[in-house]
Amino acid sequence: MNIFDDGAAEEVEESTPFSIFAKWLEEARASESADPEACALASTDADGCPNVRMLLVREADERGFVFNTNLESVKGVELRENPQAALCFHWKSLERQVRVRGRVSRVEGKETDAYFAMRPRGSRIGAWASKQSKPLEGRFALEARIAKYTARYAVGEVPRPDWWGGFRLRPVYMEFWQAGGLFRLHERVVFTREETEAKWSRKLLFP
């Protein structure tokens, strides 16, 4: 399926932006050398100033895009205070980009517990050891906390900290960008909807 091919318009109309994203992500996994699930997340602080950082999206389907963090970190606080955000995926090897905007809600309970349990043991201990975004006196202070929690959870399961959890971004805007050739005439297709349960509309944009 070529989403920019007018001859494939009927096929595109029957597709959702999620199915297109899934196809692009699959191709990125085969082409990108590392972390095809990596994207930039933009949130805003209490004054409306944007913050952006890279993270990994662990799940992307019709329900939205899920990522995890320390809930007491800067992004955790910002997303709770202003539950709107944007994502940007960029796959250099494929010359493609996907932009996503929407509302954010917490992912809680068994779903978050199950994902935390799947993480490598070191990552789970790291979640306990790191006071993400808080001032750090020095590297030794971090290493001391790692040693503390490594000893505490030397055997058995490593439980999920109360301050670690997930967010789901449910999009109302998804833009697919493909690098163009002559005159840098890139191709852009946008899907929008008024609410997260509404039907998508599609349009092309000038590059």
Side-chain angles (χ1 to χ4, degrees), residues 72-194:
E72 297 175 358
S73 67
V74 169
K75 64 176 170 292
V77 172
E78 290 179 348
L79 291 172
R80 292 201 309 273
E81 293 181 347
N82 179 14
Q84 301 181 89
L87 302 173
C88 182
F89 295 84
H90 178 237
W91 299 304
K92 186 176 180 65
S93 63
L94 297 174
E95 297 187 294
R96 286 174 174 172
Q97 174 179 283
V98 179
R99 295 173 57 215
V100 183
R101 299 170 65 194
R103 293 194 60 81
V104 175
S105 60
R106 279 286 311 279
V107 178
E108 300 180 281
K110 294 181 179 180
E111 185 176 355
T112 300
D113 290 337
Y115 177 70
F116 187 79
M118 292 172 55
R119 303 183 84 209
R121 190 177 189 83
S123 296
R124 285 177 278 162
I125 290 174
W128 281 95
S130 177
K131 299 179 179 180
Q132 190 174 352
S133 301
K134 302 296 190 295
L136 176 64
E137 300 87 351
R139 185 71 184 182
F140 178 77
L142 175 59
E143 291 175 352
R145 288 181 61 83
I146 293 172
K148 172 185 174 180
Y149 289 104
T150 298
R152 177 178 295 185
Y153 299 114
V155 295
E157 291 301 315
V158 181
R160 177 175 64 87
D162 291 339
W163 60 82
W164 192 95
F167 288 96
R168 174 175 281 110
L169 188 155
R170 302 189 67 188
V172 294
Y173 178 101
M174 293 181 67
E175 177 185 322
F176 297 84
W177 176 93
Q178 174 75 63
L182 190 64
F183 306 115
R184 290 183 58 81
L185 295 179
H186 311 308
E187 297 172 306
R188 299 170 66 190
V189 175
V190 170
F191 292 82
T192 58
R193 57 185 178 181
E194 293 295 325

